[in-house]
DNA sequence: ACCTGAACACCGTTCAAGT
DNA sequence: ACCTGAACACCGTTCAAGT
């Protein structure tokens, strides 16, 4: 079903992915889709998950750098591989931008990037800013991303933390450090303005450096 | 009419901006809109133009730096001002992302940035890469942007060039140099892969520098 | 447990018709 | 020159009903 939805979008863009057409393309005709999915938003969430998982499959096939080796080269490889997948699904960035809740596969993807950066000698703090700075380049979409802490509204945040540590150890480590440094910060909440300026300054400084090198 | 459309989107997001609702909100009721606009796409193009023009109005009120002064500070100011406007219209990035043809106001905005960079000592070539590198941060949306050379399909490209030089002198200068360096390049066409990697490397290098400074 | 059909409210758009 | 009304094709979604 998700595979069929992706095919439809590949052929005619996001707006040709319609419940009726999807049902038709599955020979099963009509609105039986609503048995498997609550509504179209849930369908779109599934498609988003599916396409980011396709990225993860490609990225996971890339070897990790040996121990403390060149993190930059490894990150570059992964990001360019992600871009390649996205170029085959040009509708995906627009879809991801409209999701209100982050696909789990996105957490997995960033957890992998975070691992590279940690192994490369980054503090969690700098790595955190770094993920924001990469922003749109990391996954083909921009914007202030998502509100994390979404896939579990459990008030038992300790249990949530443990569950998360299992799936996404580096993301969990990062969050724990943020909470440790600033106990008042809402779990996973980021100061968008600060992060925007951090990323902006990296680009501006980099350009200025190139300019004065001439 | 455009103002009313912006209000509708501000209140209920892009999907609540509907031809029927817009007509209603204009007391003029019904589909008389189609006298003023060919279809909804044209309406959306108009809204995009309108909102970027709002950015330009704000940005133009910022003083230019004196002569060859700090381009970086000036660019930073403008970009943060643009972001402020965009935060008031959270639907705008999504809208801009779905435009197939660049609003004229976008050309105007980038022409202004280009002027700052040229005055700051940038070559057209480096400034060109720089605009790509800023990407989503410059106007709140990402992606490989638009196909320029759109608002005039005239085969008389000399006349087009002249017209453009009047409105956007720096953009025109940049294009002229690109054509001069590589006469085969289609007017305004960019190698997206190259530009993506350029911007990516700036961020990666910047992060690596911050890492090794610790 | 899984699918279907008819129905509803809401789209964008056309077109012949009004002033 | 500008607006309107009825109509059409197409949405997402509900719900009672089938197997």
């Amino acid at each position: 079903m998700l595979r069929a939805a992706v095919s439809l979008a590949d052929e005619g863009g996001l707006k040709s992915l319609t419940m009726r057409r999807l049902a038709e393309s599955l020979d099963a005709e009509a609105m039986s889709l609503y048995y498997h999915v609550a509504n179209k938003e849930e369908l779109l969430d599934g498609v988003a998950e599916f396409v980011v998982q396709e990225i993860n499959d490609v990225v996971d096939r890339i070897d990790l750098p040996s121990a403390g080796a060149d993190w930059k080269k490894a990150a570059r490889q992964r990001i360019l591989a992600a871009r390649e997948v996205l170029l085959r699904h040009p509708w995906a960035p627009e879809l991801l931008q409209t999701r209100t809740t982050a696909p789990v596969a996105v957490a997995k993807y960033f957890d992998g990037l975070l691992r590279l950066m940690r192994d490369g000698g980054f503090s969690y703090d700098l790595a955190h800013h770094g993920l924001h700075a990469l922003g749109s380049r990391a996954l083909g979409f921009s914007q202030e991303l998502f509100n994390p802490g979404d896939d579990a509204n459990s008030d038992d945040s300790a249990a949530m933390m443990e569950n998360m540590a299992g799936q996404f150890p580096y993301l969990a480590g990062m969050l724990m450090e943020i909470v440790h440094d600033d106990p008042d910060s809402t779990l996973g909440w980021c100061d968008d303005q600060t992060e925007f300026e951090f990323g902006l300054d990296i680009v501006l400084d980099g350009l200025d450096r190139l300019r004065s090198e001439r």
Side-chain angles (χ1 to χ4, degrees), chain A:
Chain A
M1 164 162 167
L2 293 179
R3 215 179 315 274
V6 168
S7 296
L8 267 180
D10 283 342
E11 283 159 29
L14 261 196
K15 72 179 189 42
S16 81
L17 171 51
T18 203
M19 296 301 269
R20 287 171 147 98
R21 267 200 276 238
L22 176 58
E24 186 187 11
S25 94
L26 287 167
D27 68 346
E29 24 201 331
M31 339 269 76
S32 5
L33 299 173
Y34 282 92
Y35 182 79
H36 304 275
V37 103
N39 49 36
K40 191 174 183 186
E41 276 308 287
E42 202 174 296
L43 202 224
L44 293 178
D45 285 345
V47 174
E49 186 73 41
F50 188 88
V51 83
V52 179
Q53 190 47 51
E54 185 183 340
I55 290 177
N56 285 336
D57 290 343
V58 171
V59 158
D60 286 345
R61 236 173 280 128
I62 301 175
D63 296 333
L64 278 175
S66 48
D70 195 350
W71 77 273
K72 211 164 67 175
K73 193 179 134 208
R76 196 176 195 278
Q77 253 185 329
R78 285 166 111 86
I79 291 175
L80 291 179
R83 175 178 147 90
E84 235 173 79
V85 175
L86 253 2
L87 286 178
R88 291 201 299 269
H89 306 299
W91 43 268
E94 191 188 329
L95 173 67
L96 287 168
Q97 202 161 89
T98 59
R99 295 310 85 203
T100 58
T101 167
V104 181
V106 169
K108 186 160 176 287
Y109 177 79
F110 280 118
D111 195 66
L113 271 186
L114 211 38
R115 171 179 183 175
L116 283 183
M117 297 172 90
R118 285 290 288 171
D119 288 353
F122 277 75
S123 72
Y124 269 126
D125 183 56
L126 183 56
H128 173 226
H129 291 311
L131 291 187
H132 279 281
L134 284 169
S136 81
R137 260 172 266 273
L139 260 180
F141 59 96
S142 70
Q143 299 320 105
E144 259 95 60
L145 308 177
F146 310 97
N147 312 358
D150 40 315
D151 54 2
N153 255 9
S154 127
D155 12 13
D156 185 356
S157 84
M160 187 180 114
M161 217 45 204
E162 244 176 77
N163 174 40
M164 184 161 174
Q167 282 188 71
F168 314 115
Y170 293 88
L171 274 182
M174 185 179 82
L175 286 183
M176 268 165 44
E177 196 180 287
I178 290 174
V179 171
H180 177 267
D181 291 354
D182 177 8
D184 289 340
S185 72
T186 322
L187 183 67
W189 190 86
C190 304
D191 182 339
D192 292 331
Q193 180 74 23
T194 301
E195 300 303 345
F196 183 89
E197 295 186 16
F198 177 86
L200 176 58
D201 286 333
I202 282 194
V203 175
L204 292 177
D205 289 342
L207 291 175
D208 202 42
R209 199 182 313 269
L210 289 174
R211 177 191 58 80
S212 62
E213 271 171 14
R214 304 292 163 103

